[in-house]
Amino acid sequence: MPELPHSTWSGAAPGSWLARWLSACADLEDLFAHHHLLDAVIEEVDGRRIRVGGRWLIDFASCNYLGLDLDREVIEAVPAYLDRWGTHPSWSRMLGSPALYPEIEARLTELLGSADSLLLQTLTHIHASVIPVLASDGTIFVDSRAHKTIWDGCVAARAHGATVVRYAHDDPEALERLVRRYPKVPRLVCMDGINSMTGNPPQLGAFAALAREHDALLYVDDAHGFGVIGERDRSETSPYGRRGNGVVRHLGQSYDHVVLTGGFSKAYSSLLAFVACAPELKRLLKVVAPPYLYSGPSPVASLATALVGLQVNQARGDELRAVLWQRTRRVLDHLEKLGAYTLNRSGFPIVEVPLADPDDLARAGRFLLERGIYVTLAFYPGVPRDEVGFRIQVTAANTDDEVSALLEALERLADAVPLRAAA
Ligand SMILES: Cc1ncc(COP(=O)(O)O)c(C=O)c1O
């Protein structure tokens, strides 16, 4: 395999700002330099296998949970949209939106059961622009394990006059103590839906009750839940529930005092994201959110894959979720058999596996790579030191044979590089 090019940052004098950044990110820089699971160039894709250099790997790092990136119905539908709309609208939404936008928003609003919804390009754009609006010069309470893009939105809000307070991960009591201590309104509580590293849902019922009691707004990022989990009922094909309409519906909550954000860039394999909110907030965001006013829109291919993806979801999404659940279950059962710890308590398809010794990360990654397995390395400071390890993501497009290959590799890995033991 060819060596990846590596920047040496040779101009970073000791004590300079560059040297300080470099030292804060030393673990990651080292992995970039020596590890082919990071910063890789993927040269070919065949189903859920990818070629990096001369090596074919089974991909367990993809977030395309429903496998719609490879779905023939979705792929074959796209050219007709390109013929009709061209490749890219290139107006900001303020100027005009192809009719695809209101069509997707109407379908999405119906699916979520929200009052309304607004599409923007990505969750990164949404957090950076919507959090400062909602927080104004009040107080933001942010979960200590919220996604980095939420934190960045909070930093932008702080620059606009908001106070930012961090509370212990998924701890409603800790939040309540802080809400009493920081009275400045408006109050915004920011958190992940399905957490991107643990794979677990928050105690949404308790947080929503707190939000209603203290007239706060709960702002939830369900990048990883939307499309994967949904409302529960007897006809469900798996414990993920039906319709993939996200964490709020899955946990039987309402949208009272809740703003749900989510993305199409994971389960729906498209560059698009949404805010599910009241119509008045949608009207406000159209005149104050810079990505609506000043940024380019999503490409037509993304709008098309989102729209067709929603149709596929309606027709056979629950079948795909049943497959996803079965394959994920195999991974979780196998880890249990090996006595290995995972942060995942939910059964959802994000499975982080910490190592016994964080310094073994590069070795564990190389071991999996040599056995043809591609996973996400969970490095410090991206995760706490005692959670350094790797994250497996399962998609409906991973075959049973591919999962078997993963299980065998995990078994051998556990002999060669100690995994953190289950309690
Ligand atoms: C929880 C979470 N929020 C936000 C994002 C960013 O999403 P987007 O690509 O739509 O900006 C990610 C992406 O990985 C994520 O995992």
Side-chain angles (χ1 to χ4, degrees):
M1 190 175 296
E3 276 296 310
L4 282 173
H6 167 224
S7 158
T8 56
W9 297 83
S10 54
S16 70
W17 65 271
L18 201 53
R20 283 200 302 277
W21 270 114
L22 186 57
S23 126
C25 302
D27 285 23
L28 181 55
E29 233 266 325
D30 191 50
L31 282 169
F32 263 44
H34 301 112
H35 213 287
H36 300 291
L37 280 175
L38 279 169
D39 209 22
V41 176
I42 292 145
E43 290 172 72
E44 215 175 330
V45 171
D46 177 11
R48 199 51 92 227
R49 293 179 343 119
I50 57 176
R51 183 167 65 77
V52 179
R55 199 192 290 271
W56 279 96
L57 303 164
I58 305 170
D59 180 7
F60 287 101
S62 164
C63 290
N64 291 301
Y65 296 116
L66 296 179
L68 297 183
D69 56 320
L70 303 168
D71 190 286
R72 290 313 312 173
E73 186 178 341
V74 177
I75 292 169
E76 283 162 23
V78 173
Y81 287 91
L82 299 180
D83 284 344
R84 179 151 178 219
W85 295 104
T87 59
H88 191 241
S90 207
W91 307 290
S92 78
R93 288 208 65 191
M94 169 181 71
L95 293 181
S97 301
L100 293 166
Y101 269 101
E103 203 178 334
I104 298 169
E105 283 172 350
R107 271 187 170 268
L108 178 65
T109 300
E110 188 282 323
L111 175 65
L112 297 170
S114 56
D116 211 336
S117 60
L118 176 71
L119 294 171
L120 291 170
Q121 300 83 341
T122 67
L123 277 169
T124 306
H125 285 89
I126 288 175
H127 298 332
S129 58
V130 176
I131 291 176
V133 171
L134 299 180
S136 185
D137 58 354
T139 315
I140 306 177
F141 302 89
V142 57
D143 184 293
S144 62
R145 296 196 71 148
H147 194 261
K148 173 78 168 75
T149 53
I150 295 181
W151 279 98
D152 288 347
C154 295
V155 170
R158 188 160 57 200
H160 289 268
T163 302
V164 179
V165 180
R166 163 191 165 123
Y167 67 88
H169 173 56
D170 198 32
D171 186 340
E173 285 165 16
L175 173 63
E176 184 158 25
R177 285 193 295 275
L178 289 168
V179 167
R180 293 186 191 288
R181 184 135 48 101
Y182 291 87
K184 204 160 71 149
V185 293
R187 299 189 176 102
L188 186 68
V189 178
C190 294
M191 61 171 67
D192 283 20
I194 303 313
N195 186 277
S196 63
M197 290 313 288
T198 69
N200 297 325
Q203 301 184 53
L204 199 64
F207 283 107
L210 256 179
R212 287 191 286 270
E213 188 186 334
H214 295 278
D215 201 21
L217 202 51
L218 200 58
Y219 180 92
V220 181
D221 169 348
D222 201 26
H224 294 271
F226 175 62
V228 175
I229 57 168
E231 62 195 61
R232 310 294 310 264
D233 77 28
R234 283 210 193 117
S235 67
E236 66 192 22
T237 52
S238 80
Y240 292 175
R242 289 180 58 242
R243 305 184 72 205
N245 46 12
V247 69
V248 174
R249 299 298 300 273
H250 184 75
L251 296 175
Q253 297 298 310
S254 78
Y255 293 100
D256 182 15
H257 286 71
V258 175
V259 170
L260 178 71
T261 66
F264 285 76
S265 73
K266 315 254 182 263
Y268 282 86
S269 313
S270 311
L271 190 84
L272 194 63
F274 67 83
V275 189
C277 60
E280 312 82 71
L281 178 56
K282 177 171 174 170
R283 281 211 307 280
L284 172 66
L285 292 177
K286 282 184 170 193
V287 292
V288 294
Y292 195 90
L293 298 161
Y294 307 119
S295 303
S298 293
V300 168
S302 280
L303 298 170
T305 49
L307 184 58
V308 179
L310 287 168
Q311 291 157 8
V312 169
N313 180 58
Q314 188 174 348
R316 52 190 165 84
D318 289 342
E319 277 168 47
L320 295 171
R321 281 179 279 275
V323 170
L324 182 58
W325 173 70
Q326 283 158 13
R327 307 234 155 106
T328 304
R329 207 51 260 169
R330 287 187 62 202
V331 176
L332 289 167
D333 290 346
H334 195 70
L335 287 170
E336 196 179 322
K337 198 184 94 190
L338 295 176
Y341 175 70
T342 169
L343 303 179
N344 183 307
R345 288 178 278 99
S346 64
F348 302 152
I350 297 173
V351 183
E352 215 259 302
V353 184
L355 302 173
D357 179 353
D359 290 337
D360 276 342
L361 182 60
R363 201 154 69 88
R366 250 191 316 276
F367 190 97
L368 290 172
L369 189 75
E370 277 156 16
R371 276 145 195 88
I373 303 292
Y374 189 73
V375 292
T376 305
L377 297 185
F379 49 81
Y380 178 83
V383 298
R385 264 207 173 276
D386 64 349
E387 290 176 14
V388 164
F390 53 93
R391 182 179 72 171
I392 299 163
Q393 270 150 300
V394 185
T395 73
N398 285 114
T399 64
D400 257 327
D401 285 349
E402 288 168 0
V403 174
S404 299
L406 170 69
L407 302 190
E408 195 188 325
L410 288 175
E411 195 153 340
R412 286 168 189 270
L413 175 70
D415 288 337
V417 182
L419 306 178
R420 190 164 136 198

